[in-house]
Amino acid sequence: MCDDDKMGFGSRMDCCRQFVKYSLIVSNFIIFVGGATLFCLSLWTLVDRNFMNDLLDTNLFSGAVYVLLVTSLTICVLSFVGCVGASKEVKCLLLTYFIIVVLIFVTMFIGGILGFVFRERVQQTMRQKLRSSMSLYGSRRDITESWDQTQERLQCCGVDSWHDWNRLIPESCCQEIFGGQRKECTLLPGVTNLYSQGCLYVTTSFMRDHAAVIGGTAIAVAIIMIFGMIFSCLLFTMIE
């Protein structure tokens, strides 16, 4: 009778272990997909908006994206380790997986808090950098090209508006195209073909929108990582 009870208990424990094992594998597959998505979004953001670095005179923007790239790659590799550790039931791999997941989760959590707290200060710093770079337009080729690319591609002019250029307005602020050639900027009372939005507003809107997409993806991955931590811890204790 006791032997039957032991066999029944052992069978239930084995079923629980298999459930936890495959749950961990599924969780890691979802984590891998999320990490790969985060990597693609970060890479696209870096390539598509890298021309703004010269205007901001800082590597803060690209540096943050590089951190996301490294983190997302680490998440992809980590999910593979988690799958191997779960399928082979290797306690060493499961322990390593658990520790690294905790570290990444804490890093992402702290990074998210810091980004939220300092978002206003970042915008103020961007305003100062953009205004200081305007004085170098025409004298430094890299700044000139960056301003032209930013204003043409983001369809903006100046920092807050075209008034920031003090009537020495670059052609890249003109939004009308005729015969493949940009028209001269029209600046008459009540008539203008200049981009109405300032580049500070457009760039911050871009960063805010992309941060929302990337942040949402990161939050989703972080939630699944919590399940990964729980399942890896349970499977670790179940393996004899």
Side-chain angles (χ1 to χ4, degrees):
M1 186 75 174
C2 292
D3 290 340
D4 292 338
D5 291 339
K6 289 181 179 179
M7 289 179 63
F9 178 76
S11 177
R12 288 194 297 271
M13 285 298 296
D14 186 62
C15 289
C16 288
R17 189 171 71 178
Q18 292 298 317
F19 172 78
V20 172
K21 173 181 176 179
Y22 289 110
S23 295
L24 181 56
I25 293 175
V26 172
S27 297
N28 278 289
F29 175 76
I30 298 175
I31 291 173
F32 175 83
V33 173
T37 303
L38 190 61
F39 176 82
C40 292
L41 288 172
S42 302
L43 185 62
W44 176 75
T45 301
L46 181 67
V47 173
D48 191 51
R49 291 296 183 264
N50 192 47
F51 59 87
M52 293 189 297
N53 283 336
D54 291 328
L55 294 187
L56 300 178
D57 193 27
T58 178
N59 290 322
L60 180 63
F61 175 71
S62 58
V65 179
Y66 279 125
V67 170
L68 283 174
L69 285 172
V70 174
T71 302
S72 57
L73 278 177
T74 304
I75 290 174
C76 290
V77 174
L78 183 63
S79 62
F80 177 76
V81 172
C83 285
V84 173
S87 59
K88 301 295 183 181
E89 298 187 1
V90 181
K91 298 185 72 172
C92 180
L93 287 179
L94 290 174
L95 181 61
T96 302
Y97 170 85
F98 178 81
I99 293 173
I100 298 177
V101 166
V102 171
L103 292 176
I104 292 178
F105 181 81
V106 171
T107 301
M108 292 173 65
F109 182 73
I110 294 175
I113 293 177
L114 291 177
F116 178 79
V117 171
F118 292 107
R119 68 190 187 283
E120 296 298 333
R121 184 175 298 180
V122 169
Q123 182 171 350
Q124 186 61 31
T125 301
M126 287 176 59
R127 182 189 300 275
Q128 295 172 355
K129 295 294 185 180
L130 287 172
R131 288 196 178 280
S132 63
S133 67
M134 290 183 74
S135 60
L136 301 175
Y137 185 88
S139 60
R140 280 184 50 179
R141 181 177 179 181
D142 55 340
I143 297 296
T144 303
E145 291 179 349
S146 292
W147 262 113
D148 287 338
Q149 287 186 52
T150 299
Q151 292 182 143
E152 288 179 355
R153 296 180 64 179
L154 300 185
Q155 297 185 350
C156 59
C157 185
V159 180
D160 295 302
S161 70
W162 58 267
H163 294 282
D164 296 322
W165 288 108
N166 296 321
R167 293 187 175 272
L168 300 175
I169 303 173
E171 291 185 357
S172 54
C173 278
C174 306
Q175 57 180 314
E176 294 184 8
I177 304 294
F178 180 75
Q181 298 294 324
R182 186 176 298 277
K183 285 185 176 181
E184 293 184 0
C185 295
T186 302
L187 188 57
L188 298 173
V191 180
T192 178
N193 66 336
L194 303 177
Y195 293 122
S196 58
Q197 291 184 322
C199 292
L200 177 64
Y201 172 79
V202 177
T203 53
T204 52
S205 296
F206 162 79
M207 290 182 181
R208 184 168 54 250
D209 294 341
H210 277 64
V213 175
I214 295 175
T217 304
I219 290 173
V221 173
I223 292 174
I224 303 300
M225 288 172 67
I226 294 176
F227 287 100
M229 286 187 284
I230 295 173
F231 289 136
S232 63
C233 187
L234 290 173
L235 185 59
F236 181 86
T237 57
M238 290 178 177
I239 299 175
E240 298 177 356

